[in-house]
Amino acid sequence: MDESVERVRALVHEAAAVTVLTGAGISTDSGIPDFRGPQGVWTRNPKAERMSDIRHYVNDPDVRRLAWQSRKTHPAWSAQPNNGHAALVELERSGRLVALLTQNIDGLHQRAGSTPEKVVELHGTVWWAECLGCGARTPMAEQLARVSDEDPDPSCLVCGGIQKSATVSFGQPLDPAVIDRAVDAARACDLFLAIGSSLTVQPAAGLCGVAVDGGARLVVVNAQPTPYDDLADVVLRGPIGELLPALARDLAPV
Ligand code: NAD
């Protein structure tokens, strides 16, 4: 096994409290493309970024119509968790996991078996729809069933407001309670693993700095360089689906 993988394996085995931050890269093996990787949604089609900006979404009915169409065919509906998600379940079972902070909206950590209470969805979830007017939440499937040529942009049945997935778009604030939980978890760990994220979206990426300031070691696992690599004790630049199972194998309980 590669020397740096052995080193991280030792760090994980020695750690008593591990906090994990995941990004889109952990779900690419499940068939959900990331945004900024070589096959990323925005790398291939820069215009798709408009759908993730709340200003365009609110002001442009065409953007909303396209967004509903793309939700109907979202790969999350049929995706299955992969070896990377499963390895993080093993980490939790070993008793080391403080929290699993995820920027992902696909729900795959919970479907893999991570305890829902341990998962902090920093950017929300695509499995629920939310009204921008009154905040009413409904299962996404109910709203997708309403989308048709006659009703390409279904409005809220409570107040008539604009609806979207219960995810955080650019221009929308994160839930302060969610940020507080994430910051607490970053401060409470002795090892912080940042996995499958370009670490370019704040405040999520900044959690690496919070953990290091709190005295934790930082390990970055990502195929491409990130702005936090210099701060990391070790950077593993390889496929998550192979690296995470190697790191979590034979973990003795703590
Ligand atoms: P990103 O697209 O900016 O970066 C993903 C990183 O993962 C890239 O640097 C890429 O090189 C790396 N990567 C991809 N597959 C990998 C693999 N198999 N092994 C190792 N590395 C791999 O993603 P981000 O940093 O999470 O930020 C994107 C934002 O978009 C997030 O806010 C997230 O909410 C959202 N998003 C979520 C999903 C999802 O839920 N699955 C998918 C796309 C985007």
Side-chain angles (χ1 to χ4, degrees):
M1 195 187 294
D2 185 283
E3 203 179 294
S4 50
V5 177
E6 270 304 338
R7 190 152 164 241
V8 178
R9 224 172 104 72
L11 289 177
V12 174
H13 282 247
E14 287 159 15
V18 182
T19 293
V20 178
L21 170 68
T22 62
I26 197 169
S27 292
T28 53
D29 281 350
S30 297
I32 303 180
D34 59 18
F35 280 168
R36 299 181 187 82
Q39 298 303 318
V41 174
W42 296 346
T43 311
R44 289 154 66 105
N45 176 14
K47 282 191 187 156
E49 200 166 345
R50 286 172 68 88
M51 281 195 297
S52 299
D53 188 307
I54 194 69
R55 290 151 287 215
H56 294 305
Y57 191 87
V58 168
N59 293 317
D60 188 342
D62 273 348
V63 168
R64 293 202 292 278
R65 188 176 48 76
L66 284 173
W68 282 109
Q69 285 306 321
S70 102
R71 279 176 205 132
K72 276 187 102 155
T73 55
H74 199 288
W77 311 141
S78 56
Q80 297 299 320
N82 63 55
N83 291 343
H85 300 104
L88 295 180
V89 177
E90 290 307 311
L91 178 70
E92 180 184 340
R93 289 195 180 135
S94 80
R96 288 171 176 77
L97 187 71
V98 177
L100 175 40
L101 318 176
T102 187
Q103 299 169 84
N104 295 345
I105 56 171
D106 55 33
L108 285 180
H109 287 303
Q110 296 91 324
R111 295 207 16 231
S114 289
T115 305
E117 290 72 29
K118 290 267 186 189
V119 180
V120 180
E121 293 178 312
L122 295 164
H123 295 165
T125 174
V126 76
W127 288 88
W128 287 83
E130 194 169 75
C131 173
L132 293 176
C134 71
R137 279 167 77 99
T138 46
M140 177 57 80
E142 281 179 21
Q143 300 307 326
L144 290 180
R146 295 174 58 202
V147 177
S148 66
D149 287 348
E150 292 71 43
D151 191 4
D153 175 23
S155 54
C156 175
L157 292 173
V158 179
C159 76
I162 293 174
Q163 300 194 104
K164 68 184 275 294
S165 56
T167 54
V168 179
S169 297
F170 288 109
Q172 278 188 302
L174 271 70
D175 179 341
V178 169
I179 302 180
D180 284 351
R181 262 190 84 191
V183 168
D184 287 349
R187 287 197 183 121
C189 67
D190 48 45
L191 178 64
F192 190 90
L193 303 176
I195 299 167
S197 173
S198 61
L199 298 176
T200 51
V201 178
Q202 298 292 353
L207 293 165
C208 295
V210 172
V212 170
D213 286 347
R217 291 179 188 275
L218 171 66
V219 172
V220 173
V221 184
N222 201 55
Q224 293 175 298
T226 82
Y228 288 85
D229 291 358
D230 288 346
L231 201 62
D233 292 87
V234 190
V235 176
L236 295 181
R237 186 122 32 249
I240 291 164
E242 290 173 25
L243 290 169
L244 290 197
L247 298 180
R249 191 165 23 87
D250 301 330
L251 270 182
V254 289

